[in-house]
Amino acid sequence: MTKISKIWLGATGCLMMAVVLAAIFLPRSFGLTAFSDIVQCLLLFSGAASFVPWVLRSKGRIRLFWFLIVVGLTFWLAYQVFWTYHEVVLQRDVPDLCAWDIVMFLHVVPLMAGLALRPHVLREEYSARISRLDFALLLLWWCYVYVLIVMPWQYVVPDITAYNRNLNNVYSVEKSVFLIGLLACWLTSKGEWRKFFAGLFATSLCYSAGSLFANWAIARHSYYSGSGYDIPLVAAMGGLSWVGLRNKAESPDSEISQSSGVYGVWVARFSMIAVFSLALFATWAISGSAIPTKIRIFRLALTFLAAFCMGVMVNIRQRMLDRELVHLLHQSQEAFDNLKRLQAQLLQSEKLASIGQLVGGVAHELNNPITAMLGYSDLLLNSKLTESQRLQAAKVGQYVRRTKSLVASLISFARQTPAAKTLLDLNTLARTAVKLTEPQWQAQEIEVRTDLDCGSPKVLGDSNQLLQVCVQLVANCLHVLNEHSGKSLVVSTKRTGELCVVELATEPLAKLEPGSIPAAEEEDSLGLSACRGILAEHKGHISRERREDGRLILAIELPAAAAASPSQKDSTVPVLWQSRPYA
């Protein structure tokens, strides 16, 4: 609590003590009346002002709650100022049939609306919108009840006795409902909110008791302003400042469970009961034989008007509910579709995991015989063979290498773990791929040339995987050349915008006509299916073009890497392949 708050509370306590001492020791006089009325105005102003900082520092529903508290206390202050003006300035009693009595009655309505917001409970925006409409119905109902029961005896057929009796009865019922709402909030809250509602309940109970006590004294013609009957009222007014200044409740309590479903149902039920009660009030308005005809007609017309206004509000509420139900239906359908897709993805993931395990095991088992076959084929090539036998041995080695490359791709697929990426030089990758396939293109008597761009930037990727892609595509281009009697392949690198490109171009092949190779078979023969998966992890892709002159162009496109960070390392490809050009 700040120093200003302590001084504020001290001043409030001094004013309360002065009123109590004056009521006990001073006789009835104009000075006592003026002093009591002015102090009560100051206490109500202090109580309303103590909640203003909470309005300024809060947001959303919490701010609306504090604002309604301030509005209710301001209405009370306005009525007290009116009372003081009559007794102090005009020096006469407040008239019995006073139009300002409705201000005193309505000052409880904003307080009830504030409680209905339940600021201590977390609530969603939609339920808050619907609840505000429900409470607007209830507030309209309270105004209707006051005009229906009290005002006819004030304006239609003036009757002081009936007016005071009906006013006191309606006001007592309103205060009782407010106290019940405060008690419910007190029992359902925790922490600082519980302390706040307890303090507000205590002050409201003190005011209600003091009001009944004062009305009893007025009926006995023993009440005057500043008398001992005002002590409970002054205590309640001063207690408002104590509640506002010592309050520490700022936001909804997260520990309180979201039980607004039952609460919202009861609010909706009460609002519907309020609407249906109009019929009962209409029956009551026309059934009383002792009630003057003018009052009955007034009440009946007022009931029809209230029924029309509430009917419009109910229609608006129903339209909001319909829109929300349609929205919830769409959300449910979307959630169901997402669940079905998720189930399908889980099944597919399980299948892929099983296939990966199976492929990994089979691929590892195939590696040993493939390695043996590759070794024997190389031994055959190095032995004394005829030209025909050498060609056959070279073809055996070629297909064994293709099989080994395919097995490596299967093992990479089965692993399904992303490899660490480093800065790579595409020129080095291209040279290494050409070097690794040298036995294959020399045995097939195919000329492989390189045209490398020395200014091409580096790319970020896994050297083993990208080298595997380059070797796979070079080997498969050699296979296409061999199948179509081609004798020349050019491997080049270049930069196109933000992309680094490795391009493989065959010589014009007369036998490679469009449609000569089925699309699916050509896709597999070029090894694109396995390479695309690797390049997808590197945010790259393969483009394929078969030109009119018969040349086959394959291009690997990868995004150029940004400036190297301290944590990035250069390629781990052997220096031998980085230094030896093929041209």
mmCIF file of all heavy atoms in Angstrom, residues 76-118:
data_model
loop_
_atom_site.group_PDB
_atom_site.id
_atom_site.type_symbol
_atom_site.label_atom_id
_atom_site.label_comp_id
_atom_site.label_asym_id
_atom_site.label_seq_id
_atom_site.Cartn_x
_atom_site.Cartn_y
_atom_site.Cartn_z
ATOM 1 N N TRP A 76 -24.978 6.590 -7.155
ATOM 2 C CA TRP A 76 -25.250 6.767 -5.725
ATOM 3 C C TRP A 76 -24.799 8.145 -5.273
ATOM 4 O O TRP A 76 -25.505 8.850 -4.541
ATOM 5 C CB TRP A 76 -24.541 5.661 -4.948
ATOM 6 C CG TRP A 76 -24.921 5.566 -3.496
ATOM 7 C CD1 TRP A 76 -25.829 6.324 -2.835
ATOM 8 C CD2 TRP A 76 -24.377 4.659 -2.547
ATOM 9 N NE1 TRP A 76 -25.901 5.949 -1.511
ATOM 10 C CE2 TRP A 76 -25.026 4.919 -1.314
ATOM 11 C CE3 TRP A 76 -23.427 3.650 -2.600
ATOM 12 C CZ2 TRP A 76 -24.733 4.217 -0.150
ATOM 13 C CZ3 TRP A 76 -23.137 2.937 -1.448
ATOM 14 C CH2 TRP A 76 -23.785 3.208 -0.241
ATOM 15 N N LEU A 77 -23.606 8.561 -5.713
ATOM 16 C CA LEU A 77 -23.082 9.891 -5.367
ATOM 17 C C LEU A 77 -23.990 10.987 -5.919
ATOM 18 O O LEU A 77 -24.262 11.984 -5.236
ATOM 19 C CB LEU A 77 -21.663 10.044 -5.916
ATOM 20 C CG LEU A 77 -21.032 11.434 -5.808
ATOM 21 C CD1 LEU A 77 -20.891 11.857 -4.349
ATOM 22 C CD2 LEU A 77 -19.667 11.460 -6.504
ATOM 23 N N ALA A 78 -24.472 10.793 -7.164
ATOM 24 C CA ALA A 78 -25.343 11.811 -7.764
ATOM 25 C C ALA A 78 -26.624 11.978 -6.938
ATOM 26 O O ALA A 78 -27.101 13.112 -6.710
ATOM 27 C CB ALA A 78 -25.683 11.428 -9.198
ATOM 28 N N TYR A 79 -27.193 10.868 -6.485
ATOM 29 C CA TYR A 79 -28.409 10.970 -5.669
ATOM 30 C C TYR A 79 -28.108 11.649 -4.331
ATOM 31 O O TYR A 79 -28.904 12.460 -3.845
ATOM 32 C CB TYR A 79 -28.986 9.580 -5.436
ATOM 33 C CG TYR A 79 -30.274 9.599 -4.650
ATOM 34 C CD1 TYR A 79 -31.478 9.920 -5.277
ATOM 35 C CD2 TYR A 79 -30.285 9.323 -3.283
ATOM 36 C CE1 TYR A 79 -32.672 9.944 -4.566
ATOM 37 C CE2 TYR A 79 -31.473 9.353 -2.554
ATOM 38 C CZ TYR A 79 -32.660 9.667 -3.199
ATOM 39 O OH TYR A 79 -33.836 9.711 -2.486
ATOM 40 N N GLN A 80 -26.944 11.350 -3.736
ATOM 41 C CA GLN A 80 -26.582 11.972 -2.462
ATOM 42 C C GLN A 80 -26.341 13.474 -2.637
ATOM 43 O O GLN A 80 -26.701 14.276 -1.758
ATOM 44 C CB GLN A 80 -25.330 11.298 -1.881
ATOM 45 C CG GLN A 80 -24.942 11.788 -0.508
ATOM 46 C CD GLN A 80 -26.009 11.512 0.541
ATOM 47 O OE1 GLN A 80 -26.654 10.469 0.518
ATOM 48 N NE2 GLN A 80 -26.218 12.478 1.449
ATOM 49 N N VAL A 81 -25.758 13.864 -3.767
ATOM 50 C CA VAL A 81 -25.571 15.305 -4.041
ATOM 51 C C VAL A 81 -26.925 15.996 -4.182
ATOM 52 O O VAL A 81 -27.120 17.115 -3.693
ATOM 53 C CB VAL A 81 -24.712 15.481 -5.311
ATOM 54 C CG1 VAL A 81 -24.724 16.938 -5.771
ATOM 55 C CG2 VAL A 81 -23.286 15.025 -5.062
ATOM 56 N N PHE A 82 -27.854 15.314 -4.881
ATOM 57 C CA PHE A 82 -29.211 15.873 -5.008
ATOM 58 C C PHE A 82 -29.849 16.032 -3.625
ATOM 59 O O PHE A 82 -30.484 17.056 -3.321
ATOM 60 C CB PHE A 82 -30.049 14.945 -5.895
ATOM 61 C CG PHE A 82 -31.515 15.227 -5.869
ATOM 62 C CD1 PHE A 82 -32.049 16.274 -6.594
ATOM 63 C CD2 PHE A 82 -32.375 14.445 -5.093
ATOM 64 C CE1 PHE A 82 -33.424 16.548 -6.547
ATOM 65 C CE2 PHE A 82 -33.734 14.708 -5.046
ATOM 66 C CZ PHE A 82 -34.270 15.767 -5.771
ATOM 67 N N TRP A 83 -29.707 15.029 -2.762
ATOM 68 C CA TRP A 83 -30.254 15.081 -1.406
ATOM 69 C C TRP A 83 -29.620 16.234 -0.623
ATOM 70 O O TRP A 83 -30.313 16.998 0.070
ATOM 71 C CB TRP A 83 -29.997 13.747 -0.715
ATOM 72 C CG TRP A 83 -30.610 13.603 0.645
ATOM 73 C CD1 TRP A 83 -30.187 14.178 1.795
ATOM 74 C CD2 TRP A 83 -31.766 12.837 0.983
ATOM 75 N NE1 TRP A 83 -30.981 13.817 2.858
ATOM 76 C CE2 TRP A 83 -31.969 12.981 2.376
ATOM 77 C CE3 TRP A 83 -32.632 12.019 0.259
ATOM 78 C CZ2 TRP A 83 -33.022 12.359 3.050
ATOM 79 C CZ3 TRP A 83 -33.678 11.386 0.934
ATOM 80 C CH2 TRP A 83 -33.860 11.563 2.304
ATOM 81 N N THR A 84 -28.300 16.364 -0.733
ATOM 82 C CA THR A 84 -27.593 17.440 -0.023
ATOM 83 C C THR A 84 -28.018 18.810 -0.540
ATOM 84 O O THR A 84 -28.149 19.779 0.233
ATOM 85 C CB THR A 84 -26.075 17.249 -0.194
ATOM 86 O OG1 THR A 84 -25.708 15.957 0.289
ATOM 87 C CG2 THR A 84 -25.298 18.309 0.561
ATOM 88 N N TYR A 85 -28.228 18.925 -1.847
ATOM 89 C CA TYR A 85 -28.653 20.210 -2.432
ATOM 90 C C TYR A 85 -29.979 20.650 -1.839
ATOM 91 O O TYR A 85 -30.177 21.840 -1.496
ATOM 92 C CB TYR A 85 -28.766 20.058 -3.936
ATOM 93 C CG TYR A 85 -29.359 21.256 -4.639
ATOM 94 C CD1 TYR A 85 -28.631 22.427 -4.820
ATOM 95 C CD2 TYR A 85 -30.678 21.206 -5.092
ATOM 96 C CE1 TYR A 85 -29.197 23.528 -5.466
ATOM 97 C CE2 TYR A 85 -31.249 22.292 -5.733
ATOM 98 C CZ TYR A 85 -30.506 23.449 -5.904
ATOM 99 O OH TYR A 85 -31.067 24.534 -6.533
ATOM 100 N N HIS A 86 -30.919 19.712 -1.681
ATOM 101 C CA HIS A 86 -32.215 20.063 -1.127
ATOM 102 C C HIS A 86 -32.120 20.442 0.343
ATOM 103 O O HIS A 86 -32.711 21.449 0.778
ATOM 104 C CB HIS A 86 -33.198 18.895 -1.301
ATOM 105 C CG HIS A 86 -33.997 18.977 -2.559
ATOM 106 N ND1 HIS A 86 -35.244 19.575 -2.630
ATOM 107 C CD2 HIS A 86 -33.714 18.557 -3.810
ATOM 108 C CE1 HIS A 86 -35.694 19.501 -3.872
ATOM 109 N NE2 HIS A 86 -34.788 18.881 -4.608
ATOM 110 N N GLU A 87 -31.389 19.662 1.120
ATOM 111 C CA GLU A 87 -31.373 19.892 2.567
ATOM 112 C C GLU A 87 -30.431 21.017 2.982
ATOM 113 O O GLU A 87 -30.692 21.696 3.984
ATOM 114 C CB GLU A 87 -30.968 18.608 3.294
ATOM 115 C CG GLU A 87 -32.032 17.524 3.239
ATOM 116 C CD GLU A 87 -31.792 16.423 4.245
ATOM 117 O OE1 GLU A 87 -30.610 16.179 4.597
ATOM 118 O OE2 GLU A 87 -32.771 15.794 4.691
ATOM 119 N N VAL A 88 -29.353 21.246 2.219
ATOM 120 C CA VAL A 88 -28.365 22.250 2.629
ATOM 121 C C VAL A 88 -28.566 23.566 1.891
ATOM 122 O O VAL A 88 -28.588 24.650 2.505
ATOM 123 C CB VAL A 88 -26.944 21.713 2.417
ATOM 124 C CG1 VAL A 88 -25.903 22.771 2.755
ATOM 125 C CG2 VAL A 88 -26.718 20.457 3.251
ATOM 126 N N VAL A 89 -28.704 23.499 0.555
ATOM 127 C CA VAL A 89 -28.830 24.731 -0.225
ATOM 128 C C VAL A 89 -30.255 25.258 -0.180
ATOM 129 O O VAL A 89 -30.506 26.428 0.153
ATOM 130 C CB VAL A 89 -28.380 24.474 -1.678
ATOM 131 C CG1 VAL A 89 -28.547 25.747 -2.509
ATOM 132 C CG2 VAL A 89 -26.934 24.007 -1.701
ATOM 133 N N LEU A 90 -31.231 24.401 -0.522
ATOM 134 C CA LEU A 90 -32.626 24.834 -0.522
ATOM 135 C C LEU A 90 -33.231 24.828 0.880
ATOM 136 O O LEU A 90 -34.279 25.455 1.118
ATOM 137 C CB LEU A 90 -33.453 23.924 -1.440
ATOM 138 C CG LEU A 90 -33.016 23.872 -2.915
ATOM 139 C CD1 LEU A 90 -33.942 22.964 -3.710
ATOM 140 C CD2 LEU A 90 -33.006 25.273 -3.513
ATOM 141 N N GLN A 91 -32.596 24.086 1.805
ATOM 142 C CA GLN A 91 -33.031 23.998 3.203
ATOM 143 C C GLN A 91 -34.486 23.547 3.322
ATOM 144 O O GLN A 91 -35.294 24.129 4.058
ATOM 145 C CB GLN A 91 -32.826 25.328 3.927
ATOM 146 C CG GLN A 91 -31.368 25.757 4.009
ATOM 147 C CD GLN A 91 -31.171 27.006 4.849
ATOM 148 O OE1 GLN A 91 -32.098 27.452 5.552
ATOM 149 N NE2 GLN A 91 -29.986 27.578 4.795
ATOM 150 N N ARG A 92 -34.803 22.503 2.563
ATOM 151 C CA ARG A 92 -36.115 21.878 2.685
ATOM 152 C C ARG A 92 -35.979 20.384 2.420
ATOM 153 O O ARG A 92 -35.001 19.936 1.823
ATOM 154 C CB ARG A 92 -37.126 22.518 1.755
ATOM 155 C CG ARG A 92 -36.820 22.412 0.274
ATOM 156 C CD ARG A 92 -38.034 22.900 -0.523
ATOM 157 N NE ARG A 92 -37.804 22.815 -1.954
ATOM 158 C CZ ARG A 92 -37.478 23.833 -2.725
ATOM 159 N NH1 ARG A 92 -37.320 25.039 -2.177
ATOM 160 N NH2 ARG A 92 -37.302 23.674 -4.026
ATOM 161 N N ASP A 93 -36.967 19.635 2.866
ATOM 162 C CA ASP A 93 -36.913 18.187 2.720
ATOM 163 C C ASP A 93 -37.066 17.779 1.253
ATOM 164 O O ASP A 93 -37.675 18.506 0.448
ATOM 165 C CB ASP A 93 -38.027 17.529 3.537
ATOM 166 C CG ASP A 93 -37.809 17.702 5.032
ATOM 167 O OD1 ASP A 93 -36.637 17.884 5.424
ATOM 168 O OD2 ASP A 93 -38.796 17.659 5.780
ATOM 169 N N VAL A 94 -36.518 16.619 0.959
ATOM 170 C CA VAL A 94 -36.675 16.063 -0.388
ATOM 171 C C VAL A 94 -38.141 15.707 -0.586
ATOM 172 O O VAL A 94 -38.776 15.124 0.315
ATOM 173 C CB VAL A 94 -35.785 14.804 -0.557
ATOM 174 C CG1 VAL A 94 -36.006 14.161 -1.914
ATOM 175 C CG2 VAL A 94 -34.331 15.160 -0.370
ATOM 176 N N PRO A 95 -38.733 16.050 -1.750
ATOM 177 C CA PRO A 95 -40.160 15.744 -1.967
ATOM 178 C C PRO A 95 -40.427 14.248 -1.903
ATOM 179 O O PRO A 95 -39.578 13.425 -2.241
ATOM 180 C CB PRO A 95 -40.437 16.316 -3.359
ATOM 181 C CG PRO A 95 -39.110 16.458 -4.005
ATOM 182 C CD PRO A 95 -38.136 16.734 -2.902
ATOM 183 N N ASP A 96 -41.634 13.911 -1.456
ATOM 184 C CA ASP A 96 -41.998 12.509 -1.325
ATOM 185 C C ASP A 96 -42.038 11.808 -2.690
ATOM 186 O O ASP A 96 -41.538 10.695 -2.830
ATOM 187 C CB ASP A 96 -43.357 12.384 -0.626
ATOM 188 C CG ASP A 96 -43.282 12.830 0.828
ATOM 189 O OD1 ASP A 96 -42.262 12.531 1.474
ATOM 190 O OD2 ASP A 96 -44.228 13.470 1.300
ATOM 191 N N LEU A 97 -42.661 12.424 -3.674
ATOM 192 C CA LEU A 97 -42.699 11.873 -5.030
ATOM 193 C C LEU A 97 -41.536 12.472 -5.822
ATOM 194 O O LEU A 97 -41.691 13.447 -6.559
ATOM 195 C CB LEU A 97 -44.041 12.175 -5.703
ATOM 196 C CG LEU A 97 -45.275 11.583 -5.010
ATOM 197 C CD1 LEU A 97 -46.556 12.008 -5.721
ATOM 198 C CD2 LEU A 97 -45.179 10.071 -4.958
ATOM 199 N N CYS A 98 -40.366 11.887 -5.640
ATOM 200 C CA CYS A 98 -39.131 12.462 -6.199
ATOM 201 C C CYS A 98 -38.712 11.695 -7.454
ATOM 202 O O CYS A 98 -38.585 10.451 -7.431
ATOM 203 C CB CYS A 98 -38.022 12.413 -5.151
ATOM 204 S SG CYS A 98 -36.458 13.065 -5.742
ATOM 205 N N ALA A 99 -38.476 12.419 -8.527
ATOM 206 C CA ALA A 99 -38.057 11.772 -9.776
ATOM 207 C C ALA A 99 -36.654 11.188 -9.658
ATOM 208 O O ALA A 99 -36.299 10.264 -10.413
ATOM 209 C CB ALA A 99 -38.107 12.784 -10.928
ATOM 210 N N TRP A 100 -35.858 11.696 -8.726
ATOM 211 C CA TRP A 100 -34.478 11.209 -8.572
ATOM 212 C C TRP A 100 -34.411 9.852 -7.856
ATOM 213 O O TRP A 100 -33.345 9.245 -7.768
ATOM 214 C CB TRP A 100 -33.644 12.236 -7.798
ATOM 215 C CG TRP A 100 -33.091 13.294 -8.707
ATOM 216 C CD1 TRP A 100 -33.787 14.320 -9.274
ATOM 217 C CD2 TRP A 100 -31.746 13.413 -9.135
ATOM 218 N NE1 TRP A 100 -32.962 15.081 -10.051
ATOM 219 C CE2 TRP A 100 -31.686 14.554 -9.979
ATOM 220 C CE3 TRP A 100 -30.588 12.711 -8.898
ATOM 221 C CZ2 TRP A 100 -30.517 14.976 -10.586
ATOM 222 C CZ3 TRP A 100 -29.416 13.128 -9.504
ATOM 223 C CH2 TRP A 100 -29.380 14.241 -10.338
ATOM 224 N N ASP A 101 -35.535 9.364 -7.391
ATOM 225 C CA ASP A 101 -35.522 8.051 -6.735
ATOM 226 C C ASP A 101 -35.101 6.944 -7.700
ATOM 227 O O ASP A 101 -34.521 5.932 -7.280
ATOM 228 C CB ASP A 101 -36.907 7.742 -6.153
ATOM 229 C CG ASP A 101 -37.206 8.562 -4.907
ATOM 230 O OD1 ASP A 101 -36.227 9.057 -4.294
ATOM 231 O OD2 ASP A 101 -38.381 8.714 -4.544
ATOM 232 N N ILE A 102 -35.390 7.113 -8.984
ATOM 233 C CA ILE A 102 -34.992 6.096 -9.957
ATOM 234 C C ILE A 102 -33.473 6.006 -10.070
ATOM 235 O O ILE A 102 -32.914 4.941 -10.357
ATOM 236 C CB ILE A 102 -35.626 6.381 -11.342
ATOM 237 C CG1 ILE A 102 -35.423 5.169 -12.257
ATOM 238 C CG2 ILE A 102 -35.059 7.647 -11.957
ATOM 239 C CD1 ILE A 102 -36.145 5.300 -13.580
ATOM 240 N N VAL A 103 -32.765 7.144 -9.835
ATOM 241 C CA VAL A 103 -31.299 7.124 -9.851
ATOM 242 C C VAL A 103 -30.789 6.263 -8.701
ATOM 243 O O VAL A 103 -29.845 5.471 -8.864
ATOM 244 C CB VAL A 103 -30.740 8.558 -9.766
ATOM 245 C CG1 VAL A 103 -29.222 8.537 -9.704
ATOM 246 C CG2 VAL A 103 -31.218 9.382 -10.941
ATOM 247 N N MET A 104 -31.422 6.405 -7.538
ATOM 248 C CA MET A 104 -31.020 5.581 -6.400
ATOM 249 C C MET A 104 -31.294 4.108 -6.665
ATOM 250 O O MET A 104 -30.503 3.232 -6.301
ATOM 251 C CB MET A 104 -31.781 6.043 -5.148
ATOM 252 C CG MET A 104 -31.285 5.405 -3.872
ATOM 253 S SD MET A 104 -29.553 5.816 -3.556
ATOM 254 C CE MET A 104 -29.287 4.922 -2.045
ATOM 255 N N PHE A 105 -32.422 3.824 -7.320
ATOM 256 C CA PHE A 105 -32.736 2.432 -7.646
ATOM 257 C C PHE A 105 -31.764 1.880 -8.692
ATOM 258 O O PHE A 105 -31.276 0.749 -8.569
ATOM 259 C CB PHE A 105 -34.169 2.359 -8.164
ATOM 260 C CG PHE A 105 -34.558 1.004 -8.676
ATOM 261 C CD1 PHE A 105 -34.967 0.014 -7.808
ATOM 262 C CD2 PHE A 105 -34.508 0.718 -10.029
ATOM 263 C CE1 PHE A 105 -35.328 -1.243 -8.281
ATOM 264 C CE2 PHE A 105 -34.866 -0.531 -10.510
ATOM 265 C CZ PHE A 105 -35.275 -1.520 -9.624
ATOM 266 N N LEU A 106 -31.433 2.668 -9.686
ATOM 267 C CA LEU A 106 -30.591 2.184 -10.778
ATOM 268 C C LEU A 106 -29.125 2.066 -10.395
ATOM 269 O O LEU A 106 -28.354 1.444 -11.132
ATOM 270 C CB LEU A 106 -30.722 3.111 -12.000
ATOM 271 C CG LEU A 106 -32.063 3.055 -12.737
ATOM 272 C CD1 LEU A 106 -32.065 4.042 -13.897
ATOM 273 C CD2 LEU A 106 -32.330 1.652 -13.255
ATOM 274 N N HIS A 107 -28.702 2.648 -9.280
ATOM 275 C CA HIS A 107 -27.280 2.585 -8.948
ATOM 276 C C HIS A 107 -26.842 1.144 -8.643
ATOM 277 O O HIS A 107 -25.665 0.800 -8.758
ATOM 278 C CB HIS A 107 -26.964 3.519 -7.775
ATOM 279 C CG HIS A 107 -26.931 2.846 -6.441
ATOM 280 N ND1 HIS A 107 -28.056 2.697 -5.646
ATOM 281 C CD2 HIS A 107 -25.923 2.258 -5.737
ATOM 282 C CE1 HIS A 107 -27.746 2.072 -4.536
ATOM 283 N NE2 HIS A 107 -26.461 1.787 -4.547
ATOM 284 N N VAL A 108 -27.788 0.279 -8.268
ATOM 285 C CA VAL A 108 -27.447 -1.116 -8.008
ATOM 286 C C VAL A 108 -27.334 -1.920 -9.301
ATOM 287 O O VAL A 108 -26.625 -2.918 -9.357
ATOM 288 C CB VAL A 108 -28.499 -1.751 -7.070
ATOM 289 C CG1 VAL A 108 -28.133 -3.186 -6.710
ATOM 290 C CG2 VAL A 108 -28.660 -0.924 -5.814
ATOM 291 N N VAL A 109 -28.008 -1.448 -10.359
ATOM 292 C CA VAL A 109 -28.039 -2.213 -11.612
ATOM 293 C C VAL A 109 -26.643 -2.364 -12.231
ATOM 294 O O VAL A 109 -26.252 -3.476 -12.596
ATOM 295 C CB VAL A 109 -29.027 -1.566 -12.605
ATOM 296 C CG1 VAL A 109 -28.972 -2.266 -13.954
ATOM 297 C CG2 VAL A 109 -30.438 -1.610 -12.050
ATOM 298 N N PRO A 110 -25.816 -1.309 -12.372
ATOM 299 C CA PRO A 110 -24.452 -1.523 -12.883
ATOM 300 C C PRO A 110 -23.612 -2.433 -11.992
ATOM 301 O O PRO A 110 -22.775 -3.199 -12.500
ATOM 302 C CB PRO A 110 -23.862 -0.108 -12.942
ATOM 303 C CG PRO A 110 -25.040 0.794 -13.002
ATOM 304 C CD PRO A 110 -26.089 0.126 -12.191
ATOM 305 N N LEU A 111 -23.830 -2.369 -10.681
ATOM 306 C CA LEU A 111 -23.092 -3.258 -9.785
ATOM 307 C C LEU A 111 -23.471 -4.717 -10.039
ATOM 308 O O LEU A 111 -22.607 -5.606 -10.048
ATOM 309 C CB LEU A 111 -23.370 -2.879 -8.329
ATOM 310 C CG LEU A 111 -23.030 -1.436 -7.919
ATOM 311 C CD1 LEU A 111 -23.402 -1.199 -6.467
ATOM 312 C CD2 LEU A 111 -21.547 -1.167 -8.129
ATOM 313 N N MET A 112 -24.758 -4.973 -10.259
ATOM 314 C CA MET A 112 -25.200 -6.326 -10.573
ATOM 315 C C MET A 112 -24.628 -6.788 -11.913
ATOM 316 O O MET A 112 -24.204 -7.946 -12.061
ATOM 317 C CB MET A 112 -26.727 -6.389 -10.606
ATOM 318 C CG MET A 112 -27.384 -6.141 -9.268
ATOM 319 S SD MET A 112 -29.174 -5.931 -9.386
ATOM 320 C CE MET A 112 -29.655 -7.487 -10.088
ATOM 321 N N ALA A 113 -24.597 -5.885 -12.889
ATOM 322 C CA ALA A 113 -24.018 -6.240 -14.190
ATOM 323 C C ALA A 113 -22.537 -6.545 -14.058
ATOM 324 O O ALA A 113 -22.013 -7.457 -14.723
ATOM 325 C CB ALA A 113 -24.238 -5.099 -15.184
ATOM 326 N N GLY A 114 -21.834 -5.784 -13.194
ATOM 327 C CA GLY A 114 -20.417 -6.062 -12.969
ATOM 328 C C GLY A 114 -20.193 -7.436 -12.371
ATOM 329 O O GLY A 114 -19.300 -8.181 -12.784
ATOM 330 N N LEU A 115 -21.012 -7.808 -11.397
ATOM 331 C CA LEU A 115 -20.894 -9.146 -10.805
ATOM 332 C C LEU A 115 -21.182 -10.228 -11.841
ATOM 333 O O LEU A 115 -20.561 -11.299 -11.832
ATOM 334 C CB LEU A 115 -21.863 -9.295 -9.630
ATOM 335 C CG LEU A 115 -21.612 -8.434 -8.397
ATOM 336 C CD1 LEU A 115 -22.637 -8.759 -7.320
ATOM 337 C CD2 LEU A 115 -20.198 -8.655 -7.865
ATOM 338 N N ALA A 116 -22.128 -9.947 -12.726
ATOM 339 C CA ALA A 116 -22.483 -10.940 -13.735
ATOM 340 C C ALA A 116 -21.331 -11.224 -14.691
ATOM 341 O O ALA A 116 -21.269 -12.301 -15.291
ATOM 342 C CB ALA A 116 -23.699 -10.457 -14.524
ATOM 343 N N LEU A 117 -20.404 -10.293 -14.821
ATOM 344 C CA LEU A 117 -19.241 -10.526 -15.693
ATOM 345 C C LEU A 117 -18.275 -11.549 -15.102
ATOM 346 O O LEU A 117 -17.438 -12.097 -15.825
ATOM 347 C CB LEU A 117 -18.493 -9.206 -15.938
ATOM 348 C CG LEU A 117 -19.215 -8.185 -16.812
ATOM 349 C CD1 LEU A 117 -18.424 -6.890 -16.862
ATOM 350 C CD2 LEU A 117 -19.420 -8.717 -18.218
ATOM 351 N N ARG A 118 -18.369 -11.788 -13.809
ATOM 352 C CA ARG A 118 -17.480 -12.739 -13.119
ATOM 353 C C ARG A 118 -16.023 -12.521 -13.510
ATOM 354 O O ARG A 118 -15.398 -13.331 -14.181
ATOM 355 C CB ARG A 118 -17.892 -14.170 -13.430
ATOM 356 C CG ARG A 118 -19.280 -14.485 -12.967
ATOM 357 C CD ARG A 118 -19.473 -15.891 -12.496
ATOM 358 N NE ARG A 118 -18.815 -16.876 -13.309
ATOM 359 C CZ ARG A 118 -18.730 -18.159 -12.976
ATOM 360 N NH1 ARG A 118 -19.266 -18.583 -11.871
ATOM 361 N NH2 ARG A 118 -18.122 -19.026 -13.737
#
